[in-house]
Amino acid sequence: MFAIMEATRLEALHVAQDSATGLKAIIAIHNTRLGPALGGCRYLSYPDEQSAIRDAARLAQSMSYKAALAGLAQGGGKAVLIRPAHVHNRGALFEAFGRFIETLAGRYITAVDSGTGSADMDCIAQHTRHVTSTTAAGDPSPHTAMGVFAGIRASAHARLGSADLQGLRVAIQGLGHVGYALAEQLHEAGAELLVSDLDPGRVQLAVEQFGARPVVSAALLSTPCDILAPCGLGGVLNAHTVAQLRCSVVAGAANNQLTSPQVAEQLEARGILYAPDYVINAGGLIYVALTHRGESLPAITTHLSRIASRLTEIYAHAQAEKRSPARVANRLAERLLYPL
Ligand code: NAD
């Protein structure tokens, strides 16, 4: 356990169990230098407890980096609830989790993540106010899409010389909550869309609504385009897939797109501009953090616009220093998290 904590520079790890509801919860608090830790709550099955701890620690670390570069007064945290084989009362389990969060007195604020939804957050909210993305707070995905759209424009400007997306070919992998909203904005901006999703119904909708061209999922990454926007699962960029890319820019919403830091260097070597995922997809985090603080929608929109300027700053450093944008982003975040 301490080895994982040291490797990720985790500040604290909290665990709780509740026999009555089957709750087995881990809360990883990565770094609270900039503010209380904020991050989603996963509800998944894990092969063993070590894997759950590792997942929580790694994800909490990336939340610290994301919040820091998004200019938020928040730290990074993540909760993992180990999903039992059978659960009798899901609501009671999430209520027990709410009581656990309350014991941390605001050091950790939770949100939806894989396997959880706003109804679960509503249960948590019965016992603590340190919870976001409840039914009342609304879905952050449209805000993530807005940030990605602005980030794509900034990336197009940096690599193709103009932020005008008219006539550019954008390939979107995944037309879920974020990908579909992004497709709509890109279509309005005049981009030509190439789309794939495991759900043919979503593809068909994009074909009808945006005149998108469907591409089979297995072929999307190697489809010639100007911009590739991964908006499905993470881990899509590895040594093998990067060798097949035929685009100038990779800029999308998916978390953890790179399977290893070396992939960023490979993208760089191939002349493909990569928008660091945790920078371009921070819109949802900005939305939940600022909604939780009671900020207005115009204030949130203003804050979202900083995603584009942050990317522009990262690209300028990357070019000047001949480093990959991913490396530059990590260094800028670490300066904020670990000042000398
Ligand atoms: P979602 O589950 O609503 O949508 C994902 C879509 O991708 C689904 O329609 C799925 O069928 C499709 N998909 C999965 N694998 C695919 C593949 N190989 N090829 C084609 N399509 C595939 O998820 P979402 O909320 O839209 O999030 C998308 C990504 O963005 C995720 O990686 C998520 O972690 C990340 N993200 C989301 C938010 C947010 O606000 N929702 C914020 C930050 C990051």
Side-chain angles (χ1 to χ4, degrees):
M1 178 185 75
F2 285 110
I4 298 172
M5 291 182 73
E6 269 181 53
T8 51
R9 300 177 84 170
L10 202 67
E11 229 172 72
L13 195 62
H14 300 270
V15 292
Q17 75 84 33
D18 178 56
S19 307
T21 59
L23 176 79
K24 282 194 170 69
I26 298 161
I27 295 178
I29 295 182
H30 179 259
N31 186 306
T32 53
R33 204 190 90 78
L34 300 172
L38 170 59
C41 156
R42 292 198 154 184
Y43 181 55
L44 301 173
S45 45
Y46 285 88
D48 51 52
E49 288 167 9
Q50 283 296 100
S51 316
I53 292 172
R54 198 172 300 113
D55 203 27
R58 189 179 53 83
L59 293 163
Q61 182 182 35
S62 61
M63 290 308 294
S64 287
Y65 282 58
K66 187 185 285 203
L69 285 198
L72 293 169
Q74 301 292 164
K78 207 80 174 186
V80 164
L81 270 55
I82 300 176
R83 190 181 200 125
H86 304 287
V87 63
H88 301 296
N89 186 339
R90 181 175 173 125
L93 187 148
F94 278 91
E95 282 196 44
F97 182 53
R99 289 192 290 274
F100 175 30
I101 293 174
E102 183 61 13
T103 65
L104 299 180
R107 290 190 66 230
Y108 169 69
I109 303 162
T110 201
V112 291
D113 205 303
S114 305
T116 59
S118 49
D120 300 318
M121 300 303 120
D122 293 347
C123 293
I124 293 170
Q126 291 182 36
H127 299 279
T128 183
R129 63 190 169 82
H130 306 301
V131 53
T132 64
S133 35
T134 54
T135 310
D139 179 12
S141 308
H143 302 274
T144 303
M146 275 170 67
V148 174
F149 177 72
I152 285 179
R153 281 171 48 87
S155 306
H157 186 262
R159 178 48 46 96
L160 306 168
S162 167
D164 185 358
L165 303 181
Q166 182 76 39
L168 288 191
R169 283 169 307 166
V170 185
I172 306 177
Q173 183 186 50
L175 293 167
H177 289 93
V178 180
Y180 201 85
L182 175 66
E184 186 172 12
Q185 292 175 63
L186 290 167
H187 172 64
E188 278 167 15
E192 215 180 284
L193 300 182
L194 305 150
V195 298
S196 79
D197 196 287
L198 302 180
D199 176 354
R202 300 197 72 81
V203 173
Q204 186 54 32
L205 216 56
V207 169
E208 287 164 16
Q209 292 206 314
F210 314 131
R213 185 148 63 83
V215 179
V216 289
S217 287
L220 190 94
L221 295 181
S222 57
T223 296
C225 61
D226 297 296
I227 296 164
L228 171 70
C231 296
L233 295 181
V236 287
L237 300 175
N238 56 42
H240 175 68
T241 55
V242 168
Q244 295 178 347
L245 296 180
R246 294 166 77 187
C247 59
S248 303
V249 172
V250 174
N255 275 317
N256 304 321
Q257 291 170 33
L258 310 180
T259 51
S260 75
Q262 291 74 35
V263 177
E265 310 309 319
Q266 192 189 349
L267 283 160
E268 196 62 10
R270 285 214 51 210
I272 298 170
L273 184 68
Y274 170 68
D277 47 17
Y278 67 82
V279 180
I280 193 168
N281 74 12
L285 177 66
I286 291 170
Y287 177 76
V288 296
L290 298 189
T291 313
H292 191 62
R293 284 164 192 255
E295 297 277 0
S296 67
L297 208 51
I300 294 172
T301 308
T302 304
H303 201 113
L304 271 173
S305 66
R306 295 189 203 157
I307 289 177
S309 42
R310 179 63 92 179
L311 279 172
T312 302
E313 176 195 358
I314 289 168
Y315 294 149
H317 278 284
Q319 195 174 17
E321 297 166 23
K322 301 201 183 331
R323 286 173 197 264
S324 68
R327 264 225 253 177
V328 169
N330 286 347
R331 199 199 57 217
L332 291 177
E334 282 159 10
R335 268 194 207 154
L336 294 165
L337 296 171
Y338 311 110
L340 295 175

